[in-house]
Amino acid sequence: MLNFYVSITTTFFILFLISLLGMFVNKKNILVMLMSLEMLFLAASSFFVFTSIYLDDVTGQIFAILILTVAASESAIGLAILVIYYRIRNSISVELMDLMKG
């Protein structure tokens, strides 16, 4: 059972690192950055759920629900800002994001 836990934990860690890499390597497309951020949240919440099942504790599942709630609100706000930015600039390029005022 311990080997299975280590392999699943390693998988979640690799998924977390891939999402971090996707956020830092991609500097041009904001949609890919948002998807990488969502994948990061998913990897963290999956790790918490699996660890809470393995340890027979409910705390990890509660943290996973909180993480998914924050991820959903972050995604909705990010996409709303993206739609407004596209209406103003007709482009979703990240290089011009520093021109936004506010």
Side-chain angles (χ1 to χ4, degrees):
M1 184 70 176
L2 184 63
N3 288 336
F4 180 70
Y5 176 73
V6 170
S7 64
I8 293 295
T9 306
T10 306
T11 304
F12 292 143
F13 184 69
I14 289 171
L15 187 64
F16 187 83
L17 289 180
I18 288 172
S19 62
L20 276 178
L21 184 72
M23 287 203 42
F24 290 124
V25 168
N26 183 16
K27 297 286 185 179
K28 295 193 184 277
N29 193 352
I30 194 159
L31 286 176
V32 175
M33 290 174 69
L34 282 174
M35 288 189 323
S36 295
L37 186 64
E38 292 297 321
M39 192 167 79
L40 185 133
F41 285 142
L42 181 66
S45 64
S46 300
F47 173 74
F48 282 135
V49 167
F50 187 76
T51 304
S52 72
I53 291 171
Y54 180 75
L55 296 175
D56 198 22
D57 189 18
V58 141
T59 309
Q61 295 174 11
I62 293 171
F63 275 124
I65 290 172
L66 291 174
I67 288 172
L68 290 176
T69 304
V70 168
S73 63
E74 172 266 329
S75 177
I77 292 171
L79 288 176
I81 290 172
L82 185 66
V83 167
I84 291 171
Y85 183 77
Y86 181 76
R87 286 182 184 173
I88 293 172
R89 300 270 184 212
N90 289 331
S91 172
I92 56 172
S93 178
V94 178
E95 291 99 12
L96 301 175
M97 284 284 186
D98 59 350
L99 299 177
M100 292 179 67
K101 296 179 182 177

